[in-house]
Amino acid sequence: MASPARGCHVWVGSETGILKGINLQKKQATNYKLGDTVLNRHEAVTAMCWGDPYESEIFVGCFDGSVKLFSTEKGKFTESRDCREGEGPFCGLAVLDSSLITCVQSGLLKVWRDTSSENVEIQVGAGVCRMRQNPEQLHRVATGGKENCLKVWDLHQPQEPIFRAKNLRHDWLDLRVPVWDRDMQFLPGSEKIVTCTGHHQVRLYDPSSPQRRPVLEATFGEYPLTALSLTSDGNAVVVGSSHGDVAVIDLRQGRLVKCLKGLAGSVRAIQCHPVLPLVASCGLDRFLRVHNLHHKRLEHKVYLKSRLNCLLLTSREKWEDEGFDSSADLQSDVKEEEEDDEIWNSMEVVATKRKAELQPCTESDLQKDKRLKKQKKLKKAKS
Amino acid sequence: MADNVGKARRSEEGQCDAEKGGAGSGASVEQGQVLFPPSFSVSEIKNKQRRHFMFLRWKQQQRKEKLAIKKKRKKEREALGDQAPPKPVPKTIENQRVYDETAVDPNDEEVALDEATDEFAPYFNRQTVPKILITTSDRPRGRTVRFCEQLSKCIPNSHVYYRRGLALKRIIPQCISRDFTDLIVVNEDRKIPNGLVLSHLPDGPTAHFRMSSVRLRKEIKRKGKTPTEHQPEVILNNFTTRLGHSIGRMFASLFPHDPQFVGRQVATFHNQRDYIFFRFHRYIFKNERKVAIQELGPRFTLKLRSLQKGTFDSKFGEYEWIHKRHEMDTSRRKFHL
């Protein structure tokens, strides 16, 4: 069987340089680090991404500019590569056909090819806060940061960005609106990009339309928004602020849908499950929290001892299953389930609120019910 | 027969009366049973003086009963001698505390390493000597000014500066360039000091406290003479959780290493139910057994409101912990420090 690391649901990178795998079903957290080196802050994890679509490898970007490869199959670090170029910590990692894309704070975006020596280098401008890859077109990445407006780059044509956002019009005092994109994500099925800013705005850009300014803007709270993640249906976005407020904002109307409670400190990373109504968040309060998006309920809360910088949530949906024999098996499973879930999703829209609440009743619950009924029958028989 | 019926009817009437009177006789009276007289309650007495008198008597009686029970129990214990069962521990909010998973285990390697490399590490590795700047909110009035003076007498190597209407974000770079290690800002509202911002320099963290019950030296009874220049000892009590540890380390780093025991002065930060009590004492060993303490003042109480990463930046700073009243204060037995 595969190592216990395969069964982990959430991977979290901490400020002390430890990669933590958390199995929420067994309520176990395991620490992984390279070798027996003493912890130090130069190895703080600043960015993470999956190494392949089967989620058997994780690239971990450290503060000192090294990128490590962690194998979830073997449960250990297999490779370490020095990607020190430019200044500042990594603000994004991505994988493009077995080559690695890194982006550092000073604005150097680089594609590291293994064989050919010609690495693509792009200067995206200083003060970058986040770089994200388009999950559907892997050669497209978006960057943005402080006084560095949103840009979308095509890595096949690295000279010019294919989309460069335009700042908003001056405000009612005719003053320039400051730019500070903290996080962004591509909407699936379209070219749209959603960003959240340090000035508590959520903006939606549409590169396919002639308008370079945001097509939608919503504000939430009064503190910087630090992280965001799209929900499974792509109609809403979950944002987190530096005060630990997490909210779900509808992207069609720009309205606040609901708030998730329980966080005590600044949010550093949020990720939604691609199918299940779950959202995982972590931050400076040293807790990993998993909320249910339907009920707003806190499902899991794990104390992980150090400040957490980034997180990856598995996309597999059978949480109860422990190990998988082969990744191919998993893939086919995923496909089937996705079709099913599409049906379910379409039903949810129609169903009333009560029905939606009833729906996630799991198998174990049903079994419990059956058991209870049996017991009742037995009692009757006795009497 | 007729008599019987009459009795029954009367008893019914009686029942009605009892109910109307609201005497609360308790026992339900069924038909045909003998009636109890309506019970007596002090609160029913109409005459106020009489009611008061009766109440005092009732109270006395209660006390007597209680004392009698206590005496009896004591006698029993004495009779049993050594085999007496141990006295039950009284239930308090503290010992019924909700389990906190962040409580620091001293053997925990990860937390120890995390603490060994945090912002206070240079102080605990004896690389820096604390140098503290104390200032206030703008235009402080008498009490706050005196409080700052007295606070600077407790903390060695601290300097009180007038704020002069300067912004904190502009003060901090100047402090760093002059090698200050901590910044204390006392906030004042209507002549009463009510807030304290404690910022560790050069790169945070910043804690914001609510301050209450400030007593200056003059207002303390049986106070000692003014404190001497000696470096005091520091006592930190009950900072058990991970957040508590951070706060405790922050307080510890205000005072220099190597207390001068000649001075016999102690500064205490005592945490109880998330309130931090500051006291400043002088002690003396009267003989091998007895120690006497004398308060030197000032005294105040702090309650943590937020802990922010980095130096003071309330708008764009990232908070490590914020006290959210409506979300966190759900249980009286849950504590964060």
Side-chain angles (χ1 to χ4, degrees):
Chain A
M1 283 300 286
S3 79
R6 194 78 189 90
C8 287
H9 300 107
V10 192
W11 294 94
V12 179
S14 77
E15 209 172 61
T16 45
I18 302 175
L19 182 73
K20 291 160 187 272
I22 296 111
N23 189 328
L24 295 172
Q25 218 67 40
K26 286 188 191 165
K27 303 196 166 154
Q28 277 178 345
T30 328
N31 286 355
Y32 297 98
K33 59 184 172 184
L34 185 64
D36 299 325
T37 50
V38 183
L39 298 177
N40 69 48
R41 290 201 180 243
H42 299 298
E43 289 181 10
V45 180
T46 55
M48 268 159 67
C49 74
W50 292 113
D52 54 1
Y54 318 120
E55 299 178 357
S56 65
E57 283 176 339
I58 300 173
F59 279 108
V60 179
C62 295
F63 187 81
D64 60 354
S66 63
V67 175
K68 294 167 190 162
L69 184 64
F70 180 82
S71 164
T72 57
E73 304 275 354
K74 293 170 192 159
K76 62 179 181 188
F77 284 99
T78 51
E79 211 181 302
S80 179
R81 190 198 290 190
D82 192 18
C83 298
R84 203 176 302 150
E85 200 126 341
E87 279 165 26
F90 290 117
C91 47
L93 280 184
V95 174
L96 169 66
D97 347 304
S98 80
S99 57
L100 186 70
I101 310 168
T102 64
C103 184
V104 290
Q105 203 173 19
S106 66
L108 184 79
L109 192 140
K110 193 164 178 179
V111 184
W112 302 78
R113 298 229 158 82
D114 283 334
T115 48
S116 63
S117 57
E118 44 172 316
N119 295 328
V120 181
E121 282 189 27
I122 309 173
Q123 277 295 339
V124 297
V128 179
C129 286
R130 192 61 61 110
M131 184 271 295
R132 288 260 194 171
Q133 190 181 27
N134 190 342
E136 285 165 358
Q137 293 164 301
L138 294 177
H139 58 278
R140 290 197 174 173
V141 293
T143 59
K146 190 160 192 180
E147 296 309 326
N148 187 349
C149 60
L150 177 76
K151 294 181 193 102
V152 182
W153 302 84
D154 192 337
L155 294 176
H156 298 323
Q157 303 144 2
Q159 293 81 27
E160 272 295 300
I162 52 170
F163 174 73
R164 185 197 290 266
K166 199 174 180 182
N167 197 4
L168 262 68
R169 285 203 180 82
H170 289 186
D171 61 4
W172 76 100
L173 294 172
D174 204 23
L175 292 173
R176 188 181 158 276
V177 181
V179 179
W180 191 2
D181 289 327
R182 293 288 290 255
D183 199 354
M184 72 281 297
Q185 202 168 354
F186 287 90
L187 259 69
S190 69
E191 283 190 25
K192 288 178 186 169
I193 304 156
V194 59
T195 68
C196 68
T197 70
H199 302 282
H200 50 86
Q201 298 131 336
V202 179
R203 288 173 179 162
L204 188 69
Y205 292 92
D206 191 358
S208 58
S209 77
Q211 190 183 356
R212 278 167 55 204
R213 293 202 168 101
V215 289
L216 184 118
E217 184 179 288
T219 57
F220 167 65
E222 39 193 317
Y223 300 104
L225 300 177
T226 50
L228 100 179
S229 171
L230 281 166
T231 57
S232 51
D233 55 356
N235 283 331
V237 65
V238 187
V239 292
S241 81
S242 69
H243 266 226
D245 306 321
V246 178
V248 184
I249 289 168
D250 193 298
L251 283 181
R252 293 164 294 189
Q253 292 161 311
R255 236 196 283 167
L256 178 69
V257 181
K258 56 184 94 174
C259 289
L260 304 177
K261 281 189 189 177
L263 281 91
S266 172
V267 183
R268 279 285 173 93
I270 293 185
Q271 199 177 350
C272 293
H273 195 275
V275 184
L276 299 171
L278 291 173
V279 54
S281 55
C282 70
L284 293 184
D285 61 349
R286 300 185 172 89
F287 277 97
L288 167 79
R289 288 183 174 85
V290 180
H291 283 90
N292 189 320
L293 271 176
H294 284 165
H295 317 295
K296 305 198 284 184
R297 200 171 48 211
L298 184 64
E299 303 264 332
H300 301 278
K301 180 179 165 186
V302 191
Y303 172 58
L304 293 173
K305 293 181 188 173
S306 35
R307 293 180 198 143
L308 310 169
N309 271 343
C310 40
L311 117 178
L312 286 175
L313 185 67
T314 52
S315 55
R316 73 162 190 270
E317 49 232 84
K318 283 189 177 171
W319 285 59
E320 296 83 19
D321 289 3
E322 287 316 317
F324 285 92
D325 297 335
S326 68
S327 48
D329 212 346
L330 175 119
Q331 211 187 3
S332 63
D333 265 0
V334 169
K335 269 187 184 171
E336 278 175 22
E337 296 273 332
E338 264 171 13
E339 281 168 17
D340 277 358
D341 273 282
E342 270 173 28
I343 297 166
W344 275 112
N345 283 346
S346 63
M347 273 180 74
E348 269 166 48
V349 180
V350 185
T352 55
K353 205 176 177 185
R354 210 172 150 197
K355 240 184 185 177
E357 272 180 15
L358 282 172
Q359 183 247 322
C361 175
T362 50
E363 286 181 10
S364 58
D365 282 5
L366 285 176
Q367 280 176 353
K368 257 187 196 172
D369 280 1
K370 273 183 190 171
R371 223 179 286 153
L372 278 175
K373 272 180 192 171
K374 262 189 187 175
Q375 280 178 355
K376 272 185 190 171
K377 269 184 191 173
L378 278 174
K379 269 186 189 172
K380 267 188 188 174
K382 271 182 189 173
S383 63
Chain B
M1 282 297 282
D3 267 349
N4 246 347
V5 172
K7 255 186 194 171
R9 198 172 286 162
R10 216 172 292 148
S11 73
E12 267 174 28
E13 280 168 15
Q15 202 179 338
C16 284
D17 279 349
E19 274 171 16
K20 266 180 200 166
S25 53
S28 63
V29 187
E30 280 179 19
Q31 275 193 359
Q33 271 187 341
V34 189
L35 267 177
F36 290 106
S39 75
F40 166 74
S41 160
V42 174
S43 61
E44 276 164 43
I45 302 170
K46 296 268 169 63
N47 185 326
K48 192 173 179 180
Q49 272 181 326
R50 183 94 195 132
R51 188 168 67 223
H52 183 64
F53 175 70
M54 292 297 272
F55 175 73
L56 284 182
R57 252 189 28 194
W58 175 79
K59 198 89 181 156
Q60 232 170 16
Q61 198 190 335
Q62 294 266 309
R63 199 162 150 261
K64 257 183 195 167
E65 277 172 22
K66 212 174 170 183
L67 279 173
I69 291 171
K70 211 174 169 184
K71 218 172 181 181
K72 196 181 153 198
R73 215 174 272 160
K74 204 177 172 188
K75 236 177 194 177
E76 274 174 12
R77 283 187 77 86
E78 270 171 12
L80 280 171
D82 291 340
Q83 287 133 32
K87 275 186 181 174
V89 181
K91 272 189 187 177
T92 60
I93 293 185
E94 280 107 317
N95 66 23
Q96 300 295 307
R97 178 176 184 168
V98 178
Y99 171 70
D100 197 321
E101 65 266 49
T102 69
V104 175
D105 174 16
N107 304 323
D108 199 318
E109 200 181 333
E110 194 183 334
V111 175
L113 280 163
D114 190 13
E115 284 193 343
T117 54
D118 67 357
E119 293 94 340
F120 305 109
Y123 166 78
F124 285 97
N125 298 337
R126 300 188 174 227
Q127 287 160 353
T128 57
V129 179
K131 185 181 173 188
I132 289 120
L133 187 139
I134 301 176
T135 187
T136 59
S137 54
D138 212 5
R139 288 166 201 259
R141 306 306 292 269
R143 243 176 97 77
T144 314
V145 173
R146 263 176 281 144
F147 173 68
C148 285
E149 273 170 16
Q150 294 182 7
L151 194 64
S152 81
K153 284 272 164 60
C154 302
I155 306 173
N157 201 8
S158 61
H159 309 266
V160 184
Y161 280 87
Y162 186 62
R163 176 77 173 264
R164 287 168 47 222
L166 289 168
L168 271 189
K169 283 186 199 171
R170 290 184 58 191
I171 294 174
I172 286 166
Q174 291 180 25
C175 288
I176 294 170
S177 66
R178 281 163 210 201
D179 291 333
F180 281 99
T181 60
D182 285 274
L183 171 71
I184 298 176
V185 184
V186 180
N187 189 56
E188 181 203 67
D189 179 37
R190 286 173 240 178
K191 299 186 187 177
I192 297 164
N194 72 341
L196 189 107
V197 174
L198 178 57
S199 185
H200 189 74
L201 304 173
D203 35 30
T206 305
H208 184 194
F209 298 95
R210 188 175 72 202
M211 185 158 59
S212 56
S213 340
V214 177
R215 288 279 202 89
L216 299 179
R217 198 168 291 145
K218 207 175 171 186
E219 296 151 11
I220 294 171
K221 282 179 188 168
R222 290 181 285 283
K223 60 181 178 293
K225 283 172 191 161
T226 47
T228 53
E229 297 275 299
H230 295 97
Q231 295 176 0
E233 298 157 53
V234 182
I235 298 176
L236 297 161
N237 271 345
N238 295 342
F239 291 96
T240 50
T241 66
R242 188 67 190 78
L243 179 69
H245 260 237
S246 305
I247 297 295
R249 283 169 76 85
M250 209 162 181
F251 286 132
S253 67
L254 290 177
F255 293 88
H257 287 284
D258 307 319
Q260 291 170 324
F261 295 104
V262 187
R264 305 195 319 272
Q265 292 180 141
V266 198
T268 314
F269 292 93
H270 177 82
N271 170 33
Q272 190 168 3
R273 305 184 185 180
D274 279 358
Y275 286 90
I276 301 159
F277 300 95
F278 175 81
R279 298 289 183 270
F280 197 62
H281 290 290
R282 180 180 290 142
Y283 61 82
I284 187 161
F285 291 104
K286 291 206 161 166
N287 52 42
E288 299 93 70
R289 296 256 182 96
K290 265 190 177 174
V291 184
I293 55 170
Q294 189 178 36
E295 190 163 357
L296 302 178
R299 65 163 86 140
F300 53 88
T301 308
L302 297 173
K303 183 144 199 291
L304 185 65
R305 297 181 79 173
S306 67
L307 180 66
Q308 185 211 318
K309 195 175 149 66
T311 54
F312 180 84
D313 188 351
S314 53
K315 200 172 176 191
F316 297 115
E318 280 192 294
Y319 284 82
E320 205 166 294
W321 186 84
I322 308 167
H323 186 238
K324 295 180 179 172
R325 272 174 61 209
H326 299 290
E327 285 180 32
M328 290 176 175
D329 290 352
T330 45
S331 166
R332 274 155 55 83
R333 294 180 288 116
K334 167 89 187 139
F335 301 113
H336 304 282
L337 287 180

